[in-house]
Amino acid sequence: MPSGGFDEEALKKHLEAGRIAAKVRDEAVSRIRPGAGLLDICEWVERRIVELGGKPAFPCNISVDSVAAHYTPPPGDETLVPEGSVVKLDVGVQVDGYIADTAVTVSFNPDHDALLEAAREALEAALSVIRPGAKFRDVGRVVEETITRFGFKPIKNLSGHSLGRYLIHAGESIPNTGEPLRFGTFKPGHAYAIEPFATNGAGYVRDSREYYIYAVVKIRAKGLRSFEARLLSEAYSRFRTLPFTARWLLDLGEGKDVVAGLERLVKRRVVHAYPVLVEAAGGLVSQFEHTVFITEDDVVVTTRSTKL
Ligand code: MN
Ligand code: MN
């Protein structure tokens, strides 16, 4: 185990965030079934995180079929889990800013089992090559090899990422393909999210026009109406620069007013919007994700299931 100059406190908090994220993810799986409301599932996930002593690091993402990522139900969303669908649930937990990021895919059509298995095995293959000093591109290589072996494609423009304190994407990307021109190594004291995506489509995602997840990028702007100024200052004081949803600001106004206010803040570029990401050819997408913490001589998967 780490010693001397190593940040024990960071490891402890990563482990706590990971324990909560894994438990919530595993408990949530049984709530995802055809006919269940996406909003109910996500509200349950976010409430459960708090009950267990954490805070959401980002809004619960629930992405159906060819939606790969970045869908969270907007206020009043009535969307239900469709029959026969492929559903990704992506859960983020922070404890004192230390983040666990984990995802699972469930499907309601056995024809899609292999698509899920491809991403699940790719994640295990990736974890098996990670150690202090391992190269990011070795992860990309085994992810691509595994997914290709199943007859699918990895999504090449989605990647894993380094995690910082209060930062979901701390600057380094862990590729899901084996392109040789990717540098970087896993460093002790750092945490990374590893997340292969598999698809039967084109192998890349594009931005849709919809967005439901936001983050503050500037804490001040001139000439805002008082409602927008209030939304901005509340969002920053509650979430800092972490992603949030309009659902978390409903104490400030009606859903449609909060959404409209956030839209004006996005246009003013003081708030960033994350577009919903969809598979370019409309392919189905599966994803599995774990967070790892690198110690001086080992790797800890903080988001492993702890069912005994
Ligand atoms: Mn994630
Ligand atoms: Mn992630």
Side-chain angles (χ1 to χ4, degrees):
M1 286 306 282
S3 59
F6 202 86
D7 197 344
E8 292 282 352
E9 195 62 17
L11 174 57
K12 225 176 88 190
K13 286 174 175 167
H14 271 291
L15 287 172
E16 178 62 4
R19 187 188 63 81
I20 296 167
K23 192 166 167 58
V24 173
R25 176 200 63 215
D26 293 347
E27 289 178 358
V29 163
S30 65
R31 296 177 173 263
I32 305 173
R33 48 181 181 260
L38 301 189
L39 182 59
D40 289 341
I41 295 166
C42 279
E43 285 183 336
W44 183 88
V45 162
E46 292 161 4
R47 233 182 4 252
R48 188 75 180 124
I49 290 170
V50 174
E51 257 172 39
L52 294 174
K55 289 182 183 162
F58 50 80
C60 161
N61 280 216
I62 189 159
S63 302
V64 175
D65 291 338
S66 61
V67 176
H70 295 176
Y71 184 91
T72 199
D77 192 2
E78 290 178 355
T79 311
L80 307 178
V81 173
E83 296 287 342
S85 56
V86 170
V87 181
K88 281 100 26 213
L89 181 79
D90 197 329
V91 175
V93 174
Q94 57 108 344
V95 170
D96 203 18
Y98 296 96
I99 295 166
D101 185 0
T102 184
V104 67
T105 304
V106 294
S107 127
F108 304 99
N109 178 346
D111 291 353
H112 305 320
D113 288 353
L115 180 69
L116 272 59
E117 210 40 47
R120 197 196 325 262
E121 268 200 31
L123 176 57
E124 289 307 320
L127 296 175
S128 75
V129 301
I130 298 174
R131 57 187 186 282
K135 294 182 174 77
F136 294 163
R137 67 171 174 238
D138 290 341
V139 166
R141 183 174 44 79
V142 298
V143 165
E144 182 164 26
E145 275 170 11
T146 307
I147 292 175
T148 307
R149 182 154 44 79
F150 278 86
F152 300 109
K153 290 176 182 162
I155 293 191
K156 61 186 175 203
N157 60 342
L158 288 176
S159 53
H161 45 99
S162 52
L163 291 159
R165 199 166 173 203
Y166 292 104
L167 268 183
I168 310 282
H169 288 265
E172 291 185 296
S173 293
I174 324 302
N176 284 326
T177 58
E179 352 162 9
L181 291 174
R182 289 283 204 133
F183 300 104
T185 59
F186 292 94
K187 291 181 196 69
H190 288 76
Y192 303 86
I194 309 300
E195 50 183 315
F197 290 80
T199 183
N200 58 3
Y204 62 98
V205 291
R206 58 172 180 76
D207 291 354
S208 76
R209 279 193 202 117
E210 298 172 51
Y211 53 83
Y212 305 106
I213 299 176
Y214 310 86
V216 172
V217 287
K218 275 188 214 157
I219 57 170
R220 259 175 229 100
K222 282 180 189 157
L224 294 179
R225 300 182 212 178
S226 68
F227 181 60
E228 276 101 84
R230 175 118 194 278
L231 281 179
L232 180 63
S233 77
E234 280 298 316
Y236 184 70
S237 82
R238 294 178 194 186
F239 320 120
R240 300 287 143 180
T241 53
L242 286 172
F244 63 93
T245 158
R247 294 186 284 103
W248 296 347
L249 294 167
L250 292 182
D251 54 313
L252 302 179
E254 300 262 335
K256 62 175 171 31
D257 298 329
V258 171
V259 168
L262 289 171
E263 200 165 314
R264 288 190 288 271
L265 291 168
V266 169
K267 292 214 169 91
R268 290 288 311 271
R269 296 173 189 273
V270 289
V271 164
H272 174 72
Y274 296 84
V276 173
L277 301 173
V278 296
E279 214 288 322
L284 295 170
V285 178
S286 63
Q287 172 207 18
F288 285 86
E289 179 176 25
H290 274 309
T291 293
V292 298
F293 186 91
I294 314 294
T295 67
E296 294 295 348
D297 51 12
D298 206 358
V299 177
V300 185
V301 181
T302 68
T303 49
R304 279 273 188 226
S305 298
T306 48
K307 285 181 248 177
L308 286 174

